[in-house]
């Protein structure tokens, strides 16, 4: 056995069947797959329609793509390990694409950083639309792709020099390797980033809300589109800050045990479901768009109405 300061390796055996985690994973697939399909549709739909040519919808597309890739990535290195069929899936991946699981493990925290940047950019977009009304659209339309590239580069930085868990396939057995000390230290780093992100997102959301409210009242603004986009950005920012708050609470509980043990037993389940609803694995954005964006709602309703009219005339 290696010393505590070194990496540990042990075989990863098939998990027992019919466990709460396995049942939860099945539920997550049941609501996750339709939502991912809907997100893919929205990504293409927003890019093809001239009605949604504004720079805000380009940021929405960046976020949709980020969240789609994030959700798919979690089923490689995170959620699949709780399923008997998932272990077969990981073995097949490692056999045909060695090292893919390790890349996916690295990307888990990459997406946490990337999703914060994406959520923050929406709030910054709305803030610039209020304070720099004559210039913001030109800036965001021209630079949203370079900004997204910068976000990707930044999201890799916090993990440089770290050591994520790794898996290798040897004689049809998955070997799981990790360094307890590095993992413990990295957990603290993730918690610190979560605190900073939580404060920044909350501050941005409150600032946008106050400034937008005052500016609209002072100018007697009745711009429905601007108000609608502001509501989308605020809702998404506040919802994502919720998952960061939950991450912080879980980290504090793991190190200091300030809550009863019963909290720990249900925290994983609540955490994964909550994370689907927001954005470190979020599936919330398409539903926020449907709630606040009447144009999208009406455009998606039209094919159904046309279909009903055709059936009625027939």
């Amino acid at each position: 056995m290696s010393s505590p300061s070194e990496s540990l390796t042990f075989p990863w055996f098939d998990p027992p069947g019919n466990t709460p985690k396995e049942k939860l994973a099945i539920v997550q697939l049941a609501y996750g797959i339709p939502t991912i399909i809907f997100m893919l549709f929205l990504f293409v739909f927003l890019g093809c329609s001239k009605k949604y040519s504004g720079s805000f919808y380009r940021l929405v597309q960046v976020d949709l793509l980020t969240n789609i890739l994030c959700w798919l990535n979690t089923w490689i290195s995170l959620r699949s390990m709780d399923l008997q069929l998932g272990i077969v899936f990981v073995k097949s991946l490692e056999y045909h694409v060695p090292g893919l699981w390790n890349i996916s493990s690295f990307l888990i925290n990459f997406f946490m950083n990337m999703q914060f940047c994406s959520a923050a950019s929406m709030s910054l977009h709305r803030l610039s639309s209020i304070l720099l009304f004559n210039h913001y659209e030109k800036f965001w339309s021209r630079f949203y792709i370079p900004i997204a590239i910068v976000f990707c580069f930044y999201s890799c930085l916090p993990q440089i020099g770290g050591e994520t868990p790794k898996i290798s396939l040897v004689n049809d057995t998955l070997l799981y390797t990790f360094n307890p000390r590095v993992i413990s230290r990295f957990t603290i780093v993730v918690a610190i980033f979560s605190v900073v992100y939580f404060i920044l997102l909350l501050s941005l959301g409150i600032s946008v809300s106050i400034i937008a409210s005052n500016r609209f009242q002072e100018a007697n603004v009745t711009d429905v589109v601007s108000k609608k986009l502001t509501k989308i950005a605020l809702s998404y920012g506040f919802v994502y800050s919720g998952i960061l708050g939950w991450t912080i609470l879980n980290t504090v509980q793991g190190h200091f045990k300030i809550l009863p043990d019963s909290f720990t037993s249900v925290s994983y389940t609540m955490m994964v479901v909550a994370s689907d609803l927001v954005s470190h694995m979020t599936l919330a954005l398409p539903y926020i768009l449907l709630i606040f964006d009447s144009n999208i709602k009406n455009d998606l309703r039209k094919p159904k109405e046309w279909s009903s009219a055709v059936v009625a005339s027939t």
Side-chain angles (χ1 to χ4, degrees), residues 13-32:
F13 297 108
D14 294 352
N18 201 30
T19 61
K21 285 186 177 181
E22 186 175 48
K23 294 177 181 177
L24 176 61
I26 294 173
V27 172
Q28 290 167 339
L29 280 173
Y31 67 73

Side-chain angles (χ1 to χ4, degrees), residues 230-255:
T230 301
K231 287 179 180 179
I232 293 172
L234 287 175
S235 299
Y236 189 63
F238 283 129
V239 167
Y240 182 62
S241 65
I243 194 60
L244 293 173
W246 190 261
T247 301
I248 296 166
L249 181 60
N250 270 294
T251 304
V252 172
Q253 171 66 6
H255 282 80

Side-chain angles (χ1 to χ4, degrees), residues 3 10 18 29 34 36 40 43 66 113 128 131 135-136 159 201 205 211 224 266 281 287 293:
S3 63
F10 62 89
N18 201 30
L29 280 173
I36 289 297
L40 283 169
F43 178 81
T66 299
N113 300 312
S128 65
L131 301 178
H135 306 286
Y136 82 97
Q159 298 185 86
L201 272 182
I211 294 174
V224 176
V266 299
M281 316 118 186
Y287 302 108
D293 199 315

Side-chain angles (χ1 to χ4, degrees), residues 37-53 57-58 60-61 64 68 286 289-290 293-303 306:
I37 293 173
F38 181 43
M39 292 170 75
L40 283 169
F41 167 77
L42 276 180
F43 178 81
V44 176
F45 176 74
L46 294 177
C48 294
S49 176
K50 293 183 179 180
K51 185 185 294 186
Y52 306 102
S53 59
Y57 290 108
R58 301 291 76 78
V60 169
Q61 282 186 293
L64 286 171
I68 290 169
L289 289 172
L290 282 180
D293 199 315
S294 55
N295 287 333
I296 291 179
K297 191 186 304 182
N298 292 333
D299 287 344
L300 295 181
R301 188 182 299 156
K302 283 178 182 178
W306 294 338

Side-chain angles (χ1 to χ4, degrees), residues 14-298:
D14 294 352
N18 201 30
T19 61
K21 285 186 177 181
E22 186 175 48
K23 294 177 181 177
L24 176 61
I26 294 173
V27 172
Q28 290 167 339
L29 280 173
Y31 67 73
I33 292 176
T35 302
I36 289 297
I37 293 173
F38 181 43
M39 292 170 75
L40 283 169
F41 167 77
L42 276 180
F43 178 81
V44 176
F45 176 74
L46 294 177
C48 294
S49 176
K50 293 183 179 180
K51 185 185 294 186
Y52 306 102
S53 59
S55 58
F56 182 79
Y57 290 108
R58 301 291 76 78
L59 295 179
V60 169
Q61 282 186 293
V62 170
D63 193 83
L64 286 171
L65 182 60
T66 299
N67 292 328
I68 290 169
L69 295 176
C70 175
W71 190 85
L72 294 174
N73 182 70
T74 61
W75 284 100
I76 297 176
S77 58
L78 187 63
R79 308 183 202 219
S80 60
M81 305 303 286
D82 295 327
L83 301 172
Q84 289 182 324
L85 187 60
I87 297 298
V88 176
F89 169 68
V90 173
K91 285 183 178 180
S92 177
L93 280 181
E94 281 301 303
Y95 179 79
H96 292 94
V97 190
L100 183 61
W101 192 97
N102 300 334
I103 296 173
S104 174
S105 178
F106 172 87
L107 289 176
I108 287 177
N109 287 291
F110 163 85
F111 280 118
M112 186 194 83
N113 300 312
M114 184 65 186
Q115 289 175 319
F116 158 75
C117 293
S118 181
S121 69
M122 292 188 195
S123 292
L124 288 173
H125 181 281
R126 300 321 303 151
L127 198 59
S128 65
S129 71
I130 299 169
L131 301 178
L132 303 169
F133 181 77
N134 294 323
H135 306 286
Y136 82 97
E137 182 63 31
K138 182 178 180 180
F139 170 82
W140 287 102
S141 296
R142 178 179 296 179
F143 294 110
Y144 78 93
I145 292 180
I147 288 173
I149 294 174
V150 171
F151 287 166
C152 291
F153 177 74
Y154 161 76
S155 298
C156 294
L157 290 180
Q159 298 185 86
I160 293 179
E163 183 180 343
T164 58
K166 293 179 172 58
I167 269 186
S168 57
L169 184 63
V170 179
N171 297 327
D172 202 39
T173 300
L174 289 176
L175 298 181
Y176 182 81
T177 302
F178 74 104
N179 188 314
R181 181 172 294 182
V182 172
I183 295 299
S184 178
R185 184 169 63 245
F186 190 72
T187 301
I188 296 175
V189 172
V190 170
I192 294 173
F193 272 88
S194 297
V195 170
V196 174
Y197 290 166
F198 177 80
I199 294 173
L200 288 176
L201 272 182
L202 207 58
S203 300
L204 271 174
I206 294 173
S207 299
V208 171
S209 181
I210 293 174
I211 294 174
S213 178
N214 292 338
R215 184 60 60 92
F216 290 156
Q217 288 179 0
E218 290 174 2
N220 193 25
V221 174
T222 58
D223 187 350
V224 176
V225 174
S226 183
K227 291 181 178 180
K228 169 186 64 182
L229 299 185
T230 301
K231 287 179 180 179
I232 293 172
L234 287 175
S235 299
Y236 189 63
F238 283 129
V239 167
Y240 182 62
S241 65
I243 194 60
L244 293 173
W246 190 261
T247 301
I248 296 166
L249 181 60
N250 270 294
T251 304
V252 172
Q253 171 66 6
H255 282 80
F256 301 106
K257 306 295 182 184
I258 60 176
L259 297 175
D261 292 338
S262 58
F263 172 84
T264 303
S265 64
V266 299
S267 63
Y268 174 85
T269 299
M270 296 177 65
M271 178 69 178
V272 176
V273 174
S275 65
D276 269 348
L277 298 177
V278 276
S279 205
H280 178 44
M281 316 118 186
T282 178
L283 302 177
L285 183 58
Y287 302 108
I288 292 175
L289 289 172
L290 282 180
I291 292 172
F292 293 112
D293 199 315
S294 55
N295 287 333
I296 291 179
K297 191 186 304 182
N298 292 333

